[in-house]
Amino acid sequence: MEKWMEIDLDRLKDNVQALQTYFNVPIMAVIKQDAYGLGALTVGSFLEQLGIQFFAVTTVAEGVELRAGGIKAPILVFAPLYNDFEQLRQLWEYSLIPAVYSMEAAETINEYAVKINRSIDVHLKIDSGMGRMGFAPEEISALVYRLKKLDKLGYKGIFTHYSNAFEKEIDYTAIQKENFLNVVADLAEKGLVIPLKYSANSLAALKFPETHMDMVSIGSAFLGNSIVNPAVPLKRVYRFRAKVLQVRSLPKGSFIGYSNTYRTKRTTKVAVLPIGYTDGFGVQKKNDAFRIADYLREQYYLIKSFFRPDDMVFFEGKPLKVIGKTSLQLTVVDIGGLPVKPGDVVDISLNPLFAGARMGRVYVGAAAAEVDVSALHAREIYAGVREAAAAGQHQKQE
């Protein structure tokens, strides 16, 4: 293997147990986007063995993948596409719980449930102030009696999502929380009592205990990227590694990379690495800075990183400077006088969310033996499920 992400399941286990100890309510594990890049099937199987009894993903396809990989616990789907017949069918076939975020969604899923003569449990999504998906408070208040008439839907949960939980103070989060709880109370007064209410994502759950309610939704905290609550000592669970392809010495005045943006000022010993944009290396999440202060802060860090870029490659703990433009699959680094040779392993700074799907995932630590090995092969199972579904759909069209 020339490049891989190494996931330490001992550290993940420690993080899970620290979170379970801290919260007095159940944890819903949000493992969307392939468990934030760590591998949803293996991570999901491991979390289930550690006592996690509820999962959430964004799409129906992600939910089907978990079921095909052997996950038995309830799985919530945040954003089903309700005008897609195949997705409606898969919600029932794979026992997934859809989030209902509009009246049209509620009526569509109820109509399908009537057609197959089966009821389905759902969770209502409330937009308490993020302005993204969900019922607005005044909207659902006016629609509650229509919702109650949809007798094939079992309203088992209700939730919202905080837009500003990363801020130091609870100010806007408190407003959203109050808006949400007012909706829950209003629905109950009108005869729609929902047993499970929840609102706290990782940041809100760790920073603002008053948001815990009946369950917390934990996703990014499992990765242990940062500590926002000293009472919950989380550890980073992943690292990226790659093997050196080539080591060579370039004379003074040599251009390196596309566009000739870098030219050596001296004889320079370099190493070529098998990583690039396709692996998420050097890719940054776009910062949509709408506030002047945010925009100025972003420009400051851009200028700072231009003159003093962050170290992204390390050999035995020592930083190696990236020189020239990063290519799609290759990167060049200045190794100075370090004894780097082809085949040596370097550590890479990379956001797992951007890690390419083809990059291998290697699970290490004593706890790796606790993972159900069937999960490691479930991608192949899921590929077979997709092929079978596609074939069936093709036959229907014929």
Side-chain angles (χ1 to χ4, degrees):
M1 192 179 298
E2 63 189 22
K3 55 193 170 186
W4 64 96
M5 186 197 312
E6 197 171 274
I7 299 104
D8 190 325
L9 293 185
D10 289 341
R11 287 184 164 222
L12 178 57
K13 183 176 182 178
D14 289 343
N15 287 352
V16 172
Q17 291 176 340
L19 291 162
Q20 288 172 323
T21 300
Y22 179 71
F23 298 122
N24 292 318
V25 295
I27 293 173
M28 178 170 72
V30 180
I31 52 175
K32 60 187 179 181
Q33 190 58 28
D34 203 24
Y36 293 83
L38 302 188
L41 296 170
T42 303
V43 169
S45 177
F46 187 58
L47 294 179
E48 192 169 43
Q49 291 176 50
L50 291 176
I52 298 296
Q53 298 178 358
F54 212 122
F55 291 87
V57 293
T58 300
T59 67
V60 170
E62 289 175 327
V64 171
E65 186 176 18
L66 293 180
R67 280 282 180 259
I71 302 297
K72 305 297 184 188
I75 301 171
L76 174 72
V77 180
F78 286 134
L81 184 62
Y82 284 106
N83 61 2
D84 185 321
F85 177 84
E86 180 62 16
Q87 289 199 22
L88 288 175
R89 183 189 67 77
Q90 289 179 331
L91 286 171
W92 270 269
E93 183 178 348
Y94 293 96
S95 301
L96 306 175
I97 302 170
V100 170
Y101 44 78
S102 69
M103 194 65 214
E104 294 79 9
E107 290 174 338
T108 298
I109 200 166
N110 187 74
E111 181 182 347
Y112 186 81
V114 169
K115 206 176 281 186
I116 64 171
N117 195 29
R118 284 178 58 191
S119 61
I120 185 169
D121 292 340
V122 301
H123 288 197
L124 294 177
K125 171 66 183 292
I126 306 301
D127 176 13
S128 60
M130 187 168 184
R132 200 168 62 180
M133 296 180 71
F135 291 94
E138 61 278 4
E139 176 189 18
I140 197 166
S141 180
L143 293 172
V144 61
Y145 297 112
R146 284 175 62 186
L147 288 169
K148 287 172 63 179
K149 288 181 181 179
L150 303 178
D151 55 5
K152 286 294 185 181
L153 301 187
Y155 301 105
K156 301 298 185 183
I158 185 168
F159 69 102
T160 193
H161 190 63
Y162 296 122
S163 65
N164 221 26
F166 51 83
E167 296 289 353
K168 291 182 179 179
E169 304 300 328
I170 195 175
D171 300 353
Y172 190 68
T173 299
I175 293 171
Q176 283 193 256
K177 172 176 162 283
E178 183 178 3
N179 291 342
F180 175 63
L181 292 178
N182 286 342
V183 168
V184 174
D186 180 56
L187 295 183
E189 281 181 19
K190 293 174 178 174
L192 186 55
V193 178
I194 301 176
L196 183 66
K197 62 182 184 299
Y198 55 102
S199 64
N201 55 9
S202 290
L203 281 174
L206 289 169
K207 293 169 63 178
F208 310 127
E210 54 268 55
T211 65
H212 290 179
M213 301 184 191
D214 300 323
M215 183 166 67
V216 292
S217 307
I218 302 300
S220 59
F222 289 129
L223 278 65
N225 284 332
S226 61
I227 295 177
V228 298
N229 185 335
V232 190
L234 302 177
K235 307 170 184 176
R236 178 170 289 192
V237 304
Y238 63 90
R239 66 175 175 173
F240 290 89
R241 317 199 80 190
K243 290 182 179 178
V244 174
L245 288 174
Q246 182 182 15
V247 174
R248 57 197 299 237
S249 185
L250 297 177
K252 178 182 177 180
S254 298
F255 288 113
I256 297 177
Y258 287 117
S259 303
N260 294 349
T261 59
Y262 185 89
R263 195 172 194 176
T264 58
K265 298 179 176 62
R266 52 176 171 75
T267 299
T268 305
K269 198 171 181 183
V270 304
V272 183
L273 309 177
I275 56 168
Y277 291 126
T278 191
D279 306 301
F281 183 74
V283 175
Q284 292 182 330
K285 187 168 120 181
K286 185 176 183 295
N287 186 358
D288 298 311
F290 297 109
R291 295 177 296 191
I292 293 296
D294 292 336
Y295 176 78
L296 293 175
R297 188 180 298 112
E298 180 187 28
Q299 297 309 305
Y300 167 75
Y301 283 112
L302 281 173
I303 294 170
K304 181 182 175 184
S305 65
F306 177 79
F307 289 105
R308 287 194 62 187
D310 293 333
D311 295 321
M312 299 182 69
V313 181
F314 302 85
F315 175 69
E316 296 180 346
K318 300 178 179 65
L320 305 179
K321 182 183 177 183
V322 175
I323 52 179
K325 282 190 173 183
T326 295
S327 306
L328 186 66
Q329 294 177 291
L330 298 172
T331 294
V332 179
V333 294
D334 183 343
I335 63 174
L338 295 175
V340 180
K341 60 185 183 300
D344 281 347
V345 175
V346 295
D347 291 295
I348 310 294
S349 177
L350 200 157
N351 187 331
L353 278 174
F354 303 143
R358 296 187 181 216
M359 181 176 284
R361 269 68 172 171
V362 177
Y363 300 91
V364 301
E370 300 174 25
V371 180
D372 181 356
V373 284
S374 65
L376 297 172
H377 304 292
R379 283 194 186 282
E380 296 176 16
I381 298 172
Y382 179 52
V385 170
R386 283 184 296 181
E387 289 171 9
Q393 188 65 25
H394 181 66
Q395 288 176 354
K396 287 179 187 177
Q397 291 171 352
E398 291 179 340

